[in-house]
Amino acid sequence: MAYQQVVTKTKFMADGFNEARALRVVEIMRDFQSLQHRIAEYSPDPPPEEYFEEGYQVLRQCRAQAAAVLACPFPLDLSQIAGGSGEQEKRHLQRIIIDASARRFQTKKIYLRAVTAVRWSNTRNAILQGEQANQGHAAQLQQANNTLRNELAAITDARIINDFRNADTQAGYWLQDDPPRTTILEWIRSYSD
């Protein structure tokens, strides 16, 4: 009896990996959710005279971008999953994996930028020690701004993809349907506009 249930279940799962695909969606979305929560913790509240400082602008951009990723609807095409066959379910789960991977990728990039801006803010506060910025702080503040720009430039698409691949591989996740960087970037271009 148990064997017959397994055979029947597998028959409806196309290639037998739909459960692994569904679990992969959960893993990716868990990362996405965690990153979104961390970004939400960064609330820039600079003094009015520092509102337009570069690092604070980056933080505001990050919060707005994170909200935009959340607001982007899933591009659902019900005709592709109508009927509920195992093969249709497989294609649908693969589309969800691409969508979730792209969202996680975008959010990780936003998160890394936010962390960099927070580090800049902490450095700036340590330099100023509660004082107004003046000529005596100029060189150190300029160095903090240069460091911010360099660190932001080091946040590359390849770095993010490699970080995810390494972490997911070490965690033992099933990665067979994870999309390559080009597919993720195409999704972002297609659905972010």
Side-chain angles (χ1 to χ4, degrees), residues 33-49:
Q33 181 182 29
S34 174
L35 289 165
Q36 281 284 349
H37 284 293
R38 290 158 134 180
I39 293 167
E41 292 174 0
Y42 299 133
S43 180
D45 190 23
E49 66 273 6

Side-chain angles (χ1 to χ4, degrees), residues 47 50 56 120-130 141:
E50 295 183 10
Y56 293 123
W120 167 88
S121 175
N122 292 339
T123 300
R124 181 177 177 81
N125 291 336
I127 293 167
L128 295 176
Q129 297 180 3
L141 292 175

Side-chain angles (χ1 to χ4, degrees), residues 104-151:
R104 178 177 75 155
F105 171 87
Q106 288 177 295
T107 305
K108 178 70 171 196
K109 192 171 195 174
I110 294 164
Y111 170 73
L112 291 173
R113 290 175 49 80
V115 167
T116 300
V118 167
R119 195 168 33 251
W120 167 88
S121 175
N122 292 339
T123 300
R124 181 177 177 81
N125 291 336
I127 293 167
L128 295 176
Q129 297 180 3
E131 298 177 15
Q132 290 271 348
N134 60 50
Q135 192 59 31
H137 302 117
Q140 288 178 304
L141 292 175
Q142 184 58 48
Q143 180 58 43
N145 288 342
N146 292 340
T147 299
L148 171 70
R149 289 183 204 111
N150 291 336
E151 288 180 1

Side-chain angles (χ1 to χ4, degrees), residues 22-187:
L23 181 58
R24 186 66 185 131
V25 169
V26 170
E27 293 161 353
I28 294 168
M29 291 307 295
R30 188 176 34 231
D31 284 350
F32 169 76
Q33 181 182 29
S34 174
L35 289 165
Q36 281 284 349
H37 284 293
R38 290 158 134 180
I39 293 167
E41 292 174 0
Y42 299 133
S43 180
D45 190 23
E49 66 273 6
E50 295 183 10
Y51 185 82
F52 293 104
E53 291 292 335
E54 190 172 359
Y56 293 123
Q57 288 181 19
V58 170
L59 272 174
R60 286 191 300 277
Q61 288 171 353
C62 289
R63 288 184 59 97
Q65 290 168 341
V69 171
L70 279 175
C72 182
F74 176 72
L76 183 61
D77 181 0
L78 293 176
S79 66
Q80 291 189 352
I81 58 170
S85 75
E87 191 59 36
Q88 288 169 323
E89 182 180 338
K90 172 186 169 183
R91 284 193 307 274
H92 183 64
L93 286 168
Q94 287 172 329
R95 287 188 68 223
I96 293 171
I97 289 171
I98 292 170
D99 180 88
S101 295
R103 290 171 194 270
R104 178 177 75 155
F105 171 87
Q106 288 177 295
T107 305
K108 178 70 171 196
K109 192 171 195 174
I110 294 164
Y111 170 73
L112 291 173
R113 290 175 49 80
V115 167
T116 300
V118 167
R119 195 168 33 251
W120 167 88
S121 175
N122 292 339
T123 300
R124 181 177 177 81
N125 291 336
I127 293 167
L128 295 176
Q129 297 180 3
E131 298 177 15
Q132 290 271 348
N134 60 50
Q135 192 59 31
H137 302 117
Q140 288 178 304
L141 292 175
Q142 184 58 48
Q143 180 58 43
N145 288 342
N146 292 340
T147 299
L148 171 70
R149 289 183 204 111
N150 291 336
E151 288 180 1
L152 290 172
I155 300 170
T156 64
D157 296 345
R159 173 184 162 195
I160 295 166
I161 293 292
N162 289 337
D163 288 351
F164 278 136
R165 294 280 189 254
N166 291 336
D168 291 345
T169 299
Q170 286 179 351
Y173 294 152
W174 184 81
L175 307 176
Q176 183 173 329
D177 282 352
D178 276 24
R181 179 175 63 180
T182 54
T183 302
I184 289 172
L185 296 176
E186 286 171 13
W187 182 98

